[in-house]
Amino acid sequence: MKALLRNRELVLALILVIGIAAIGAYQPAFLAWGNIRDMLTETSVLFMMALAQMVVILTRGIDLSVAANLALSGMMAALVSQYYPDVPLILMIATGIVTGLLLGMLNGALIAYLGIPPIVMTLGTLAIFRGMIIIIARGDQVNASEMGVAFQAFPKQVWLGLTSPVWIAIAVALLFWIFLGFTRAGRGLYAVGGNPVAARYCGIDQRRQDLLAYSISGAVSGLCGYLWVARYGVAYSEIASGYELTVIAACVIGGVSIGGGIGTVAGTLLGALFLGIVMTALPVMQISPFWQMAISGAVILAAVVINARAERRPDKLILPEARRLRRVTP
Amino acid sequence: MTAPVTSGDRYAVADAPQRRWRDIALRWEVILLALLALTIIVNTIASPYFLDVFNLADATFNFSEKAIIALAMALLILVREIDLSVAAIVALAAMGVGYAAEAGFGPPVLFAVAIGIGLLCGIFNGVLVSYLNLPSIVVTIGTMSLFRGLTQVILGDQAKTKFPSDFLDLGQSYFIKMKETGLSWLFLPPVPLSFLIFLGLAVLFGLVLHRTAVGRRLFAAGSNPVAARFSGIPVARLRFILFAVSGILSGLAAALLVARLGSVRSNIGIGWELDIVTMVILGGVSIAGGVGSILGVFLAVLVLGLLTFGMSLNNIPGQVVSVYIGALLIAVIAIPRIIERIRTRSTR
């Protein structure tokens, strides 16, 4: 029993089930299949973005440029749809993914091979990507009427009861699970984050792992850029503004350690689901949407406090040690 | 090559190497000074309105409040911490000012309310980071949501716009007016209150960091917290105090911002945290801790402020300006590393 309670993912899942049951008891409409499907669709982008961010945080990095990357890649896909409506849909989606991948590789290359601190690099590219949207779209936005019909219809398609973004999120989650658990490169990400020196002695190239992590983060942001723009039917420079912090919050709630090397696919998915439920449950419970931000803030803080008990920072040991020494030597 | 061990001394301590011309020329502050000169020259050529005392004084309105917070952020980053909640503290404190003004209080109380709220928020951050020993980047992302969320809950979609006129005068007029000083023979540029406060605080922070024991302790805590702790430096308490200072300055900046804008909404100051971190990093404060100077931050504030002002004079939209600032941030960090790499490769 104690061992089960120590399993963070299980505890988080338990909290979620109790929470969902409580909301459902209060407002049965919340548990209607239609509502659950909407909630999953709404959260699908967060699922994928949180997994990609987790990969970066595993290597002791952070990617603050994901939301700006999403907006820029989404704009690129929307522009292709606007100016080349005859291009097959798959190529429009590919435009988003490739744009995101290249932007992520730019981050990764400079972080890995020039040793620029990740927070500095991605803070810089966050500003650059947002500004580039204004430049490539000439300050304009792309509206629903200017995008192709197929372009916008795809995220609304329903297969076997779930919308296509949910299926994509499931596929991406499976890929991440296989990649992080069963491939050499995936295990290497945990290794360089958990103990960079030991990883170096094992012959793992830290720089290649870093480049890989930011490239993955970029490619997923690009895919989500297409989904975001197509689903909401508008592309402009401010979409998903500040979303990078929601994504990082989902990781933290899901038990990913900002110190690197700790984090699971299941935990991160649960963290994202938690935020998704908070966002969709408030309107159902007739609580003002203004509460959303305050609640997620409180949840993040609670999650950090709980997670910290499992992974103490080493310098914390100094004080208790010193106290004990003082007691022994008068 | 260390000095040979002589018979008498157990260890020989080598003298610090002689300062060479190149070391001085490649100092961060010198690079920033050159950048500042370049900014001024290019902008003066690009627009005839740039080099005008009144225009420049006006330009300081747009960055002084952020620059005040940047001073505290510089010290936090110096000791390997970060405070991403500063903009949210600004919002919460600004809201407090809005309610206090509605209740009919005058400027001294309004400033006290803002600083008080800021201090409480800072203490909250400080307790979580220093005494519960949590990573500050995550804590302040959380408190950022919490503080701005509280502002949204309390303020909703309304705005506070009723402020006493003497309060608005503080934020909207020049502190030194040439006519009133009666010293027309002495050239005194018009200076807004917020810039004057920034200058004063910059001098104070510079003196504390570079000329006192407390400053040396901060450098020690930043470059090696464990060694600093074993040397008797209260690292946790220093961190706590810095978070409190960051809260106080955010509150002060909020009061100045409200006095300038004359209105408070829940989205006030949104996104400032990233602008402020950019100022500090461009100022040469290392994110790895233990390296940095207030002079560098001061120069970076001027470079960013004048660059933004010059571009807006030439009708370049704000987000395009941010492309240049982002590129500048990456370039100034990357170029010395590239030079270093080429140099080490050629000597090998």
Side-chain angles (χ1 to χ4, degrees), chain A residues 113 115 126 237-238 245 316, chain B residues 133 144 274 319 337 341:
Chain A
Y113 293 98
L126 154 67
S237 69
E238 288 294 309
L245 299 175
K316 172 130 191 167
Chain B
N133 224 24
M144 173 176 131
L274 297 183
Q319 280 194 314
R337 284 166 201 263
R341 185 148 305 185

Side-chain angles (χ1 to χ4, degrees), chain A residues 172-211:
Chain A
V172 167
L174 274 175
L175 276 176
F176 269 87
W177 183 65
I178 295 166
F179 169 70
L180 287 173
F182 304 100
T183 65
R184 185 181 285 253
R187 299 312 300 170
L189 291 169
Y190 282 96
V192 296
N195 189 336
V197 178
R200 184 76 199 87
Y201 282 126
C202 296
I204 298 170
D205 188 347
Q206 164 107 46
R207 293 178 297 185
R208 262 173 63 184
Q209 295 292 335
D210 281 351
L211 180 61

Side-chain angles (χ1 to χ4, degrees), chain A residues 76-246:
Chain A
M76 285 294 282
L79 285 174
V80 170
S81 170
Q82 184 184 2
Y83 290 102
Y84 306 99
D86 302 329
V87 167
L89 176 66
I90 189 83
L91 282 182
M92 294 180 190
I93 301 176
T95 307
I97 298 175
V98 171
T99 308
L101 175 67
L102 291 175
L103 299 176
M105 284 173 78
L106 174 73
N107 278 334
L110 270 80
I111 290 167
Y113 293 98
L114 280 182
I116 299 180
I119 192 164
V120 178
M121 182 65 200
T122 55
L123 192 62
T125 47
L126 154 67
I128 295 175
F129 296 167
R130 289 262 176 220
M132 289 301 289
I133 302 171
I134 297 264
I135 294 173
I136 62 165
R138 297 197 185 89
D140 210 0
Q141 61 178 46
V142 182
N143 292 319
S145 58
E146 291 158 335
M147 295 175 200
V149 177
F151 184 84
Q152 290 179 73
F154 179 73
K156 299 186 178 82
Q157 277 172 18
V158 178
W159 307 325
L160 298 175
L162 291 172
T163 54
S164 61
V166 180
W167 284 113
I168 293 174
I170 291 171
V172 167
L174 274 175
L175 276 176
F176 269 87
W177 183 65
I178 295 166
F179 169 70
L180 287 173
F182 304 100
T183 65
R184 185 181 285 253
R187 299 312 300 170
L189 291 169
Y190 282 96
V192 296
N195 189 336
V197 178
R200 184 76 199 87
Y201 282 126
C202 296
I204 298 170
D205 188 347
Q206 164 107 46
R207 293 178 297 185
R208 262 173 63 184
Q209 295 292 335
D210 281 351
L211 180 61
L212 178 69
Y214 291 93
S215 305
I216 291 172
S217 172
V220 172
S221 304
L223 172 66
C224 292
Y226 159 73
L227 289 173
W228 188 295
V229 165
R231 196 173 131 71
Y232 297 112
V234 65
Y236 63 107
S237 69
E238 288 294 309
I239 61 169
S241 179
Y243 198 62
E244 60 274 356
L245 299 175
T246 310

Side-chain angles (χ1 to χ4, degrees), chain B residues 283-307:
Chain B
V285 181
S286 163
I287 210 93
V291 179
S293 76
I294 294 296
L295 180 64
V297 175
F298 179 76
L299 290 172
V301 164
L302 290 187
V303 168
L304 290 173
L306 294 183
L307 192 69

Side-chain angles (χ1 to χ4, degrees), chain A residues 60 259 308 311-321, chain B residues 80 133 225-226 229-230:
Chain A
R60 302 193 173 180
E311 20 137 334
R312 300 219 153 141
R313 287 202 291 188
D315 48 315
K316 172 130 191 167
L317 288 175
I318 295 167
L319 265 179
E321 284 299 300
Chain B
R80 303 191 184 181
N133 224 24
V226 177
R229 185 68 197 92
F230 278 116

